[in-house]
Amino acid sequence: MTRLADRVQVRLHMNQIVARKIRRTALAAAGALCVALTAGAAEGNERPLVGTPQPVKDLHWGEVLFYFYQDDFLQALTRLGAAQDFNRLTHHTVEAELLKGGLYLSLGQHEEAGRIFRTLLNDNVPLDVRNRAWFYLAKVWYQRNYLQQAADALSSIRGALPGSLEPERHLLEAQVLMYLGRYDDAVRALERWQPTGDGSDAWSAYARFNIGVALVRTGRIDQAAQLLDAVGRIAAPTEELAALRDKANLALGYAWLKEGKPNEAKAVLQRVRLEGPQSNKALLGVGWADAAERRFTKALVPWLELRDRNLLDAAVQEAHLAIPYAYAQLDATRQAVEQYTLAVAAFEQESKRIDQSIAAIREGRLLDAIIENDPADKVGWYWQLQNLPDAPETRYLYHLLASHEFQEGLKNYRDLKLMQRNLASWELSLSAFEDMVDTRRKAFELRTPLLQQVLDRVDLDGLEARQRDLELRIGEIERENDVAALATAREREQWEKVLRIEQVLQRSDPGDPLVEEMREKARLIKGRLLWDFNSSYKARLWKVRKELRELNLAATEVRRRWVLVERAREEFPARTEGFARRVAGLKPRIADLNNRLASAAEAQNRYLAHIAIRELESQKQRLAEYSLQARFALASIYDRASSAAQPASGGAE
Amino acid sequence: MCRRFLIAVLGIAFACGSAAAQEAPASAAAVPAEDFKSLDQEVQALKKEVLDLNRELFVLEEELLFPANTQVAIFVSMDVGEFFALDSVTIRLDNKEVANYLYTPREAEALLKGGVHRVYIGNLRAGEHELIAIFTGQGPNARDYRRGATVKLEKGVGAKYVELKISDRASRAQPEFVVKQWE
């Protein structure tokens, strides 16, 4: 009994730790990885996986972080993958992979995250980063019930984790070992780690509680008692510690009851607060401790207090049986009969309500009631349902809230629904993609003739031939030192005029003094022009060479562009058809995925309904057994009354 | 009576046991843990496919709508932000308003942590263009603040990325708006 009771306790308190920590660790885990820097600082001691802030060197990396910092992990992962596809994260290769692993983790993709981490977590990654990655991975695996993987991941951690992660790691390790049935290993793991201080801190209290529970499970009650008793007496300034103290007292109380030490049990159970999650079980236990010592009047005090509490609680149900039992022990037969009868009626009524709940769940109303109550729209492994809506199909399922199996299943169902919505929005985009492909086709058909006209007008080969001629001509001028060939248009005109004048003068009378004078003038002008040509020849030749080089470059660029245009003209239709094929291929894929998401959600729904019904059936079974015991007790009382009456009446006869 | 006591106490054990059976991952309950695992693995695989498809669709969208040779993307980033609390950014390209983005506190916080927001993605022809960015928010002493930055963009053959960076100029206790062009 104690083992099972303790198991409940330890699970509940671990869930609380997980719930408390999970929001913070999700940030750090996911991001692990990240780079990220300041997110951790904002959360106190929590550190991101990669502790050193690094400047953003690729804009698209910053874009991924923009969504990551808003906890929009789906967007962050999508953009991260796309940026990697486009090769845009060249300065953040390792961080990008780490973040990707963390994002997969945050989206519940522990297998993919594990694969990435295993590939990445080698000696090139700082030990600190590796350790934290293994820790977060272990945590998710534990939650998902992959216990051996969780144990392996925890054993991969070398040295100590920073801050509060270290105690959490030891508690997690002990927890995993306990669920693997390795109680001695769990005790040893916790004993190896002794939190420092006077033992009044929360981590120390949790550790001693867990060691105590593990010792109880190995039958070492006396050793366990010392630890649980100490935790049961701690000062509890916070609700969390008060709850832990109650759990320790309850666990020890029931351990003592099982050991046949009711007085010790009572002393411990009376430490549990009157109002709190453990109070019903404690009140029941105190009653049983008195009953074991045959102090039935005293036993009735806590049990009568319990009777007026919520009948959904198993301890309250049992109190309904214990009260008439105590009256019977006190020979108050009338009250015993009355209370047994009331108990049978209450159990039957409760059983009928459970039937209604089972029927509602079978009609598929369970998850709809839960999901409708959930306003969030983001996927994430840190998400946990805190409260069940008050509906017939959910009223009896509070036990399930504490179970990973149910929470994880619910998370899966919720993620599947969110992904269906995500695909639905892409489906709308697909028609826009199809329109875009059509537009590309039409634009190409429209522009091709115009493009062709432009291309037809340009005689690129002719231009290149003229360029070659020009080069030859310049070479010739240089070889022949033809200084006049580089004259300006005006000089050229003057030069030709002088040459024409010379020809005319040659044909004129050489004896004419006027002709002689004209010849002299022409010679002077020619000489002056030649002087100018010669003096500017080198500069002009350099300039012409320079222009020729520029022309060559321009011609090469024209040729390159020509080739690009030609290639684009040839490739554009194929590229457009490539897009068309991709778009067309996506449609059936989305439809197929949608169907599979729907059937997986349905399977998840069935599975969760199955768990819920199993829980309800067990509650019903328990009520039936209690009811049977009550009827049997009633029958016994009537039998005894009847037997007692018969001899008397026989005597009268 | 002793027997009945035992039955009752065991009743509590049963009650606790039934709860524990569901909570303990390794317990042999009516629905074995393997059922959860196989379903979980199926869901994992399915989610992975959806995530991959998401990435593919995102890539296709960009390739189809914003080909690299005409693509221009404008990003907003913040450094420190002590002298300026960003409310919104308006982008004009060649005198045409192409984006007007109002930041939520959550988004502004993400920028301050080091995130970079792609506020606009579009297409531009090769050549020179004018970009005007107008930032509004709260400046020093919580006063309303509106500042513009203009830059000439030379769009080449490849994609053009522009970063609008808001930083603090401590010496003047004023925000500074820098436009940085990335190739």
Side-chain angles (χ1 to χ4, degrees), chain B residues 85-164:
Chain B
L86 180 66
D87 281 340
S88 71
V89 172
T90 304
I91 308 287
R92 287 171 177 276
L93 264 175
D94 297 329
N95 221 16
K96 186 179 162 197
E97 187 173 305
V98 293
N100 193 346
Y101 198 88
L102 192 64
Y103 286 89
T104 64
R106 196 179 174 79
E107 288 170 330
E109 186 68 22
L111 287 176
L112 281 172
K113 285 177 179 171
V116 179
H117 177 224
R118 189 178 75 184
V119 67
Y120 172 73
I121 183 165
N123 295 299
L124 270 187
R125 287 171 187 276
E128 194 174 86
H129 300 271
E130 186 187 59
L131 165 74
I132 300 173
I134 298 157
F135 305 89
T136 53
Q138 283 203 326
N141 305 317
R143 284 192 192 145
D144 286 347
Y145 203 96
R146 185 181 161 89
R147 272 281 293 274
T150 306
V151 69
K152 294 275 180 214
L153 298 182
E154 184 60 42
K155 173 74 181 72
V157 181
K160 180 89 179 174
Y161 304 132
V162 182
E163 181 184 5
L164 308 172

Side-chain angles (χ1 to χ4, degrees), chain A residues 483-499:
Chain A
V483 293
L486 297 180
T488 63
R490 171 92 180 123
E491 287 169 340
R492 190 102 197 141
E493 194 185 322
Q494 288 172 339
W495 180 253
E496 279 164 7
K497 207 178 270 181
V498 169
L499 291 181

Side-chain angles (χ1 to χ4, degrees), chain B residues 53-64:
Chain B
L53 184 63
N54 248 295
R55 193 195 69 234
E56 273 182 58
L57 284 158
F58 189 84
V59 168
L60 174 68
E61 184 178 48
E62 188 173 316
E63 284 182 339
L64 190 58

Side-chain angles (χ1 to χ4, degrees), chain A residues 11 62-63 70 88 107-108 144-145 284 288 318 329 415 422 426 582 589 596 610 615 629, chain B residues 1 5 7-8 12 22-23 25 31 36 40 44 47-49 51 54-56 62-63 106 116:
Chain A
R11 164 63 82 173
E63 195 195 359
Q70 296 177 64
R88 287 170 177 163
L107 292 168
R144 291 261 163 170
N145 201 13
L284 185 71
W288 282 123
E318 192 171 319
Q329 295 301 307
D415 285 355
N422 171 266
W426 275 119
R582 278 164 76 184
R589 268 178 76 191
R596 285 160 60 204
H610 186 82
E615 160 70 10
Q629 284 178 37
Chain B
M1 281 304 136
F5 166 73
I7 290 170
I12 268 287
Q22 286 152 27
E23 289 159 10
V31 178
F36 171 76
D40 182 47
Q44 294 264 318
K47 278 163 77 175
K48 173 82 171 58
E49 273 189 66
L51 291 169
N54 248 295
R55 193 195 69 234
E56 273 182 58
E62 188 173 316
E63 284 182 339
R106 196 179 174 79
V116 179

Side-chain angles (χ1 to χ4, degrees), chain A residues 194-457:
Chain A
Q194 290 295 333
T196 51
D198 58 2
S200 61
D201 64 288
W203 290 117
S204 173
Y206 277 125
R208 283 181 293 165
F209 177 79
N210 277 354
I211 297 175
V213 169
L215 287 169
V216 167
R217 288 178 188 177
T218 53
R220 287 175 272 177
I221 306 295
D222 288 337
Q223 280 173 276
Q226 284 178 13
L227 291 163
L228 292 174
D229 187 56
V231 179
R233 291 172 189 273
I234 54 169
T238 61
E239 172 56 33
E240 182 189 354
L241 281 176
L244 179 66
R245 189 177 61 188
D246 285 349
K247 285 169 193 166
N249 286 321
L250 191 75
L252 183 57
Y254 274 93
W256 283 139
L257 272 181
K258 194 188 169 198
E259 286 292 297
K261 294 183 176 175
N263 287 326
E264 286 87 339
K266 186 177 176 182
V268 172
L269 289 169
Q270 279 179 327
R271 291 189 210 143
V272 177
R273 290 171 299 169
L274 256 181
E275 295 296 333
Q278 316 304 330
S279 65
N280 289 354
K281 289 191 188 84
L283 284 169
L284 185 71
V286 168
W288 282 123
D290 280 326
E293 291 291 319
R294 307 202 62 75
R295 297 186 295 255
F296 292 106
T297 312
K298 281 191 170 180
L300 274 170
V301 177
W303 288 346
L304 285 169
E305 160 67 26
L306 266 180
R307 189 186 55 181
D308 297 329
R309 296 193 177 189
N310 192 341
L311 193 59
L312 295 181
D313 191 303
V316 178
Q317 292 167 5
E318 192 171 319
H320 274 71
L321 272 189
I323 291 165
Y325 162 72
Y327 280 129
Q329 295 301 307
L330 291 167
D331 290 330
T333 311
R334 194 175 57 81
Q335 284 97 329
V337 168
E338 206 174 279
Q339 292 297 328
Y340 274 129
T341 312
L342 281 175
V344 169
F347 293 154
E348 277 178 3
Q349 204 178 2
E350 204 60 24
S351 189
K352 276 182 193 158
R353 287 201 199 114
I354 292 178
D355 281 339
Q356 285 171 2
S357 290
I358 291 175
I361 291 169
R362 289 214 162 106
E363 282 169 23
R365 297 213 298 263
L366 173 67
L367 291 184
D368 290 340
I370 291 173
I371 298 293
E372 271 170 25
N373 205 38
D374 164 34
D377 61 348
K378 290 190 174 68
V379 287
W381 69 283
Y382 59 84
W383 177 83
Q384 266 198 316
L385 187 71
Q386 302 294 335
N387 293 300
L388 286 165
D390 187 19
E393 54 276 11
T394 58
R395 205 165 291 146
Y396 295 86
L397 299 172
Y398 273 89
H399 273 311
L400 291 178
L401 269 192
S403 79
H404 286 166
E405 186 187 24
F406 188 77
Q407 287 278 3
E408 295 303 302
L410 200 54
K411 213 180 287 179
N412 273 344
Y413 179 78
R414 190 171 165 277
D415 285 355
L416 289 168
K417 287 283 174 190
L418 286 169
M419 288 191 163
Q420 276 180 293
R421 286 208 287 278
N422 171 266
L423 285 188
S425 71
W426 275 119
E427 249 177 339
L428 292 177
S429 299
L430 273 191
S431 60
F433 292 173
E434 284 169 342
D435 289 348
M436 190 64 199
V437 171
D438 277 348
T439 309
R440 277 174 68 99
R441 282 196 191 108
K442 281 176 190 153
F444 182 73
E445 284 165 15
L446 206 67
R447 286 179 194 159
T448 307
L450 292 172
L451 181 71
Q452 194 56 53
Q453 279 176 19
V454 173
L455 292 177
D456 288 347
R457 275 204 303 272

